[in-house]
Amino acid sequence: MGLPATARIDIGRFWTTIERSGEIGVGRPGGLSRLALGDADREVRDVFIAWCREAGLSVRIDGIGNIFARRPGEDDSLPPVVMGSHLDTQVNGGRFDGIAGVLGGLEVCRTLDQLGHRTKRPIEVVNWTNEEGGRFSPPMVGSGCFTGAYTLDWALGRRDDDGRTIGEELDRIGYRGEMEATPRPFDAYVEFHIEQGPILDREGMQVGVVTGGYASTGMLVEFRGETAHTGPWPMERRRNALIAGARLLVAVDDLGWEHAGSGGKATASRLVAWPNKPGILSDWAQATCDVRHADPETSAVMAERVRRAVHEAAARADCTAEILDVWNWGGKVFADELIEQVRATSLGLGYRTRDILSQAGHDAYFVARHAPTTMIFAPCRGGITHNNQELCTPDDLEPGLNVLLHTVVARANR
Amino acid sequence: MGLPATARIDIGRFWTTIERSGEIGVGRPGGLSRLALGDADREVRDVFIAWCREAGLSVRIDGIGNIFARRPGEDDSLPPVVMGSHLDTQVNGGRFDGIAGVLGGLEVCRTLDQLGHRTKRPIEVVNWTNEEGGRFSPPMVGSGCFTGAYTLDWALGRRDDDGRTIGEELDRIGYRGEMEATPRPFDAYVEFHIEQGPILDREGMQVGVVTGGYASTGMLVEFRGETAHTGPWPMERRRNALIAGARLLVAVDDLGWEHAGSGGKATASRLVAWPNKPGILSDWAQATCDVRHADPETSAVMAERVRRAVHEAAARADCTAEILDVWNWGGKVFADELIEQVRATSLGLGYRTRDILSQAGHDAYFVARHAPTTMIFAPCRGGITHNNQELCTPDDLEPGLNVLLHTVVARANR
């Protein structure tokens, strides 16, 4: 027996969980500062697991700290349909980014309980570890590890800027689980998320059918030079790694402006150096940057331009450069059948609906390499995100959550 | 009775003190990492004071931690002739920068003891606190405070990048002294220092007669923008303070190259930002930069160019900018009579001697506002400094130390 077409999630109940989450890791006014594997992350994980158990879900944690909460299916041997996202935030983050997807999955399970509906396939809700990358690089490390893009040992060894590893911090907060962090079959993965861009809000759309993501490339770059005195040391002999880094940042920003007309983005978001002090030239610098474009070919050209800029910046400062890490995400990776199902469900429910590309990174990109995957977007005010002023109302999120409910249940019952 | 013209410092004895100092706060191979008011700075201060007391000097410490070791004069009511420099280093510093001037002053006193020579005026040796600015900004804070350029309260409140203040750290290492950190009369101040540039070494000169310093301006600049997502947030709406900082750094470096032909320098040595993490635009950045030129007018033009670059960089990144602090040093601030005395003494001792401008900041600039002041330079290999490969041999330092001896004693006996 299918789910009644009139079934709806309980937005009031959902909002209560959002508000409780918003009390954990409070940041600047209205926002959260809940960095991965910090004390606040531990607290929200504890609360989330308690909610899951209250909802009758069984909880398992894998070796990279991903939390899976399972609602059994009529045939529990079938692969699950999985919903989820992340509970961690940037250091100046909002209360909805990622969180709405995890707690939305929980709300779907609660709704099914209330309706007494048992799906054919099991349903799971997942909280992926360190999606943001706001503390540990790379971002999306939990989903990357789970789907085999990263090895567990490598992931556990990633360090924050204070030198602590993911493994140490998982142990400290008690979230290094026993389940293997390796791929197991998913029937499908559907991630509900706020858009983090201004399009749906501007156009008064209620649901975004995510057809793919901006083709994106991130890079971690290291420059090496030599320390010297900032005074007498001749300009011609300077090897200031900080300047190599600054030249790269400016080149990346210029590249972003060059492609702004077609919606392209190029961002330099991080530059650290050593000693990075008055009076002395730095002999080491590290920069993180990325490029994103709707058109994969243009994106590839932009990434190539960044690679060239790395070497030009190094040459100008007489430093050496090494691209330590490159990560790609986005593209047309989502499953057509699921995209179509989301679109049909949203239109069937009468919501103002449009296709949209994601411009942000999401765990869904990694999961898409592993199982049929798609995303559902909800509007957020002005597209403001990674900022304490990120804002959604219940009206912004309710339509997408109902689309999530019906999409997932239809999939789980097919 | 004057000092015999044949009097010489004991380079072997001096070298022993240099080698002992080189064991305290060991950094990279051959270098020191003895940041102001850290544990190693405490240790070298303790050792220096013990040496001073062994040499019969009385030691006083002022409220900013400057150490004054005094050798009485025949008329002890006269203002002292003062030698000195600093014992702190950059995080990747050498064993001679500053240190040779403090321990050289001690060696002069030891030589006078050995000769049984009592000067008419008292002689003092000073170790100034935080000359380098490698931990606390601004540099030369001890001499600046002593000479009234900074108030004591302001200086004590300066913080390192971990938030600890100079006052807290002085208390922690036990070097907040009882003597007032206020100007008292000096008959003269003579600072012996390594050149920290390649000129003397390249030309085979033994002594540099420092006729002044490059006219220099340092600035501490702050940019404010807004955090946002590095993906969907439109280029047109970005207010990335890190990019404002990077654009300033590049402009400053370009300015340095523009003036390299006439020996000008422009340096950006520090850029910090917040959050400065992948995935998020930074809403705050702070940069430290400086310009230096032998010609004061050109230097002023360069400083004005930096001011303009600050506002251009901010405008390009849609950030606000504030120049938090500006400090000037250098220029023709040394006393002609002392410069002439150093020149005559060096030539009289038969050393290969040339006039030279300092391109670095020194405590002597502050002291020059307060008392007749000059400096004596010794060569260092290749001009390498603020680097663990900084190198001097006894032969490099001995001539300048003998010039220091005879200059100071002549002055103290006049």
Side-chain angles (χ1 to χ4, degrees):
Chain A
M1 200 180 79
L3 191 68
T6 55
R8 297 290 182 273
I9 60 99
D10 183 336
I11 188 67
R13 180 172 56 198
F14 170 76
W15 206 254
T16 303
T17 67
I18 284 283
E19 288 186 330
R20 174 71 186 101
S21 157
E23 294 167 353
I24 302 171
V26 169
R28 292 187 183 170
L32 289 175
S33 185
R34 199 157 71 196
L35 291 168
L37 310 185
D39 290 347
D41 190 19
R42 167 168 49 189
E43 189 180 343
V44 76
R45 286 164 174 260
D46 291 350
V47 169
F48 171 63
I49 286 173
W51 281 333
C52 289
R53 292 199 169 126
E54 281 168 28
L57 308 178
S58 60
V59 173
R60 291 185 298 174
I61 301 163
D62 73 13
I64 193 70
N66 297 320
I67 302 172
F68 297 91
R70 183 180 176 97
R71 189 171 194 271
E74 286 173 350
D75 182 351
D76 213 38
S77 67
L78 292 172
V81 176
V82 183
M83 302 169 281
S85 193
H86 59 94
L87 293 170
D88 71 320
T89 79
Q90 290 281 345
V91 68
N92 189 32
R95 289 171 294 148
F96 305 96
D97 172 1
I99 299 160
V102 180
L103 301 184
L106 173 64
E107 175 53 33
V108 165
C109 294
R110 287 172 168 172
T111 300
L112 294 181
D113 280 349
Q114 197 170 12
L115 295 170
H117 186 89
R118 174 74 43 204
T119 52
K120 177 175 161 194
R121 289 174 174 73
I123 288 177
E124 293 191 19
V125 184
V126 58
N127 170 47
W128 301 109
T129 293
N130 188 47
E131 190 273 349
E132 288 291 0
R135 178 176 174 197
F136 298 98
S137 275
M140 302 172 272
V141 81
S143 53
C145 209
F146 176 80
T147 55
Y150 306 129
T151 67
L152 179 62
D153 281 351
W154 183 87
L156 292 173
R158 297 307 90 201
R159 290 181 190 278
D160 68 10
D161 282 346
D162 295 323
R164 289 168 298 196
T165 65
I166 287 181
E168 288 161 9
E169 286 295 277
L170 279 172
D171 287 337
R172 188 184 68 80
I173 70 166
Y175 273 91
R176 195 204 288 242
E178 308 222 322
M179 188 169 138
E180 272 193 67
T182 47
R184 62 188 163 91
F186 282 4
D187 179 74
Y189 176 72
V190 185
E191 182 165 345
F192 173 71
H193 208 286
I194 63 169
E195 180 199 336
Q196 305 186 280
I199 298 170
L200 297 178
D201 183 44
R202 192 173 58 217
E203 299 183 359
M205 291 288 161
Q206 294 171 291
V207 175
V209 179
V210 185
T211 57
Y214 269 40
S216 307
T217 300
M219 284 185 211
L220 178 65
V221 180
E222 194 166 81
F223 297 100
R224 289 187 184 273
E226 194 169 15
T227 71
H229 197 293
T230 56
W233 199 239
M235 292 300 298
E236 301 78 23
R237 297 186 62 185
R238 295 184 175 207
R239 304 185 61 220
N240 188 351
L242 180 65
I243 289 296
R247 288 194 181 277
L248 173 62
L249 264 57
V250 168
V252 167
D253 192 56
D254 286 345
L255 183 65
W257 280 101
E258 202 177 302
H259 291 274
S262 58
K265 314 278 160 53
T267 312
S269 59
R270 175 174 167 268
L271 177 62
V272 294
W274 191 92
N276 202 25
K277 298 286 181 192
I280 186 166
L281 307 183
S282 288
D283 68 2
W284 177 87
Q286 210 182 69
T288 308
C289 55
D290 62 62
V291 297
R292 309 177 193 223
H293 203 282
D295 173 45
E297 277 183 40
T298 306
S299 185
V301 169
M302 292 172 80
E304 187 50 38
R305 286 278 298 280
V306 173
R307 284 175 198 275
R308 225 188 307 157
V310 166
H311 297 292
E312 284 166 2
R316 286 288 294 277
D318 198 15
C319 292
T320 59
E322 189 180 354
I323 298 174
L324 297 180
D325 208 358
V326 178
W327 52 99
N328 295 289
W329 70 95
K332 302 281 185 192
V333 295
F334 295 154
D336 287 339
E337 53 183 333
L338 287 175
I339 295 171
E340 178 48 39
Q341 194 171 348
V342 167
R343 189 186 294 120
T345 302
S346 185
L347 291 170
L349 289 168
Y351 295 131
R352 293 184 301 277
T353 305
R354 68 161 277 171
D355 287 2
I356 192 167
L357 288 176
S358 169
Q359 300 185 48
H362 294 292
D363 295 303
Y365 297 132
F366 275 133
V367 185
R369 301 183 187 182
H370 168 67
T373 292
T374 200
M375 295 187 75
I376 301 165
F377 272 0
C380 62
R381 296 306 167 91
I384 294 169
T385 189
H386 289 194
N387 187 301
N388 53 307
Q389 293 180 63
E390 179 186 280
L391 185 65
C392 297
T393 65
D395 284 349
D396 292 324
L397 302 184
E398 188 175 12
L401 289 170
N402 282 320
V403 174
L404 179 70
L405 169 70
H406 284 280
T407 301
V408 163
V409 172
R411 178 83 189 183
N413 283 335
R414 85 173 191 293
Chain B
M1 197 181 76
L3 191 68
T6 56
R8 297 290 183 273
I9 59 98
D10 182 337
I11 189 66
R13 180 172 56 199
F14 170 76
W15 207 254
T16 303
T17 66
I18 283 283
E19 288 185 330
R20 173 72 186 100
S21 157
E23 294 167 354
I24 302 171
V26 169
R28 291 188 184 169
L32 289 174
S33 184
R34 200 157 71 196
L35 292 168
L37 311 185
D39 290 347
D41 189 19
R42 165 167 51 190
E43 188 179 344
V44 76
R45 285 163 175 261
D46 291 350
V47 168
F48 171 63
I49 287 173
W51 281 332
C52 289
R53 293 198 168 125
E54 279 168 29
L57 307 177
S58 60
V59 173
R60 291 185 299 175
I61 301 162
D62 73 13
I64 192 73
N66 297 320
I67 302 171
F68 298 90
R70 182 180 178 98
R71 189 171 193 273
E74 285 172 350
D75 182 350
D76 212 38
S77 68
L78 292 172
V81 175
V82 183
M83 303 169 281
S85 192
H86 60 95
L87 294 170
D88 72 321
T89 79
Q90 290 280 346
V91 67
N92 190 30
R95 289 170 297 149
F96 306 96
D97 171 3
I99 300 158
V102 179
L103 301 184
L106 173 64
E107 175 54 32
V108 165
C109 293
R110 287 172 167 172
T111 300
L112 295 180
D113 279 351
Q114 197 170 14
L115 295 169
H117 185 88
R118 173 76 41 206
T119 52
K120 178 175 160 194
R121 291 174 172 76
I123 288 178
E124 293 191 18
V125 184
V126 58
N127 169 48
W128 302 109
T129 293
N130 187 47
E131 190 272 348
E132 288 291 0
R135 179 177 172 196
F136 298 99
S137 274
M140 303 172 272
V141 81
S143 53
C145 209
F146 176 81
T147 56
Y150 306 128
T151 67
L152 180 61
D153 281 349
W154 183 87
L156 292 173
R158 296 308 90 199
R159 291 182 189 278
D160 68 10
D161 282 345
D162 296 323
R164 287 168 300 196
T165 65
I166 287 181
E168 289 161 9
E169 286 294 277
L170 279 171
D171 286 337
R172 188 184 68 81
I173 70 167
Y175 272 92
R176 195 203 288 241
E178 309 224 321
M179 188 168 138
E180 272 193 67
T182 48
R184 62 190 163 88
F186 282 4
D187 179 74
Y189 175 71
V190 185
E191 182 164 345
F192 173 71
H193 208 285
I194 63 170
E195 180 200 335
Q196 305 186 280
I199 298 170
L200 297 178
D201 182 45
R202 191 172 58 216
E203 298 183 359
M205 291 289 160
Q206 294 172 291
V207 175
V209 178
V210 186
T211 57
Y214 269 40
S216 308
T217 301
M219 283 186 211
L220 179 66
V221 181
E222 194 165 81
F223 297 100
R224 289 186 185 272
E226 194 168 15
T227 71
H229 197 293
T230 56
W233 199 238
M235 293 300 299
E236 300 78 21
R237 297 185 63 185
R238 295 183 174 209
R239 304 184 60 219
N240 189 351
L242 180 65
I243 289 296
R247 288 193 180 278
L248 174 62
L249 264 57
V250 168
V252 167
D253 192 57
D254 285 345
L255 183 65
W257 279 101
E258 202 178 302
H259 291 274
S262 58
K265 313 279 160 53
T267 312
S269 60
R270 175 176 167 268
L271 177 62
V272 293
W274 190 92
N276 202 26
K277 298 286 182 192
I280 187 166
L281 307 182
S282 287
D283 68 3
W284 177 88
Q286 211 181 66
T288 307
C289 55
D290 62 61
V291 297
R292 310 177 192 224
H293 203 282
D295 173 47
E297 278 183 39
T298 306
S299 185
V301 169
M302 291 173 79
E304 187 50 39
R305 285 278 300 279
V306 174
R307 284 175 199 275
R308 225 189 308 157
V310 166
H311 297 292
E312 284 167 1
R316 285 289 294 277
D318 198 14
C319 292
T320 60
E322 189 181 354
I323 297 174
L324 297 181
D325 209 359
V326 177
W327 52 99
N328 295 289
W329 70 96
K332 302 282 185 191
V333 295
F334 296 153
D336 287 339
E337 53 184 334
L338 288 175
I339 294 170
E340 179 48 38
Q341 195 171 349
V342 167
R343 189 186 294 118
T345 303
S346 185
L347 292 170
L349 290 168
Y351 296 131
R352 294 183 300 277
T353 305
R354 67 161 278 173
D355 286 3
I356 193 166
L357 289 176
S358 169
Q359 301 186 47
H362 295 292
D363 295 304
Y365 297 132
F366 274 131
V367 185
R369 302 182 186 183
H370 168 69
T373 293
T374 200
M375 296 187 74
I376 302 165
F377 272 180
C380 61
R381 295 308 166 90
I384 294 169
T385 187
H386 289 192
N387 187 300
N388 54 307
Q389 293 181 62
E390 179 186 282
L391 185 66
C392 297
T393 64
D395 284 350
D396 292 325
L397 301 184
E398 188 174 13
L401 289 169
N402 282 320
V403 175
L404 179 70
L405 169 71
H406 284 281
T407 301
V408 162
V409 172
R411 178 84 188 186
N413 282 337
R414 85 175 191 292

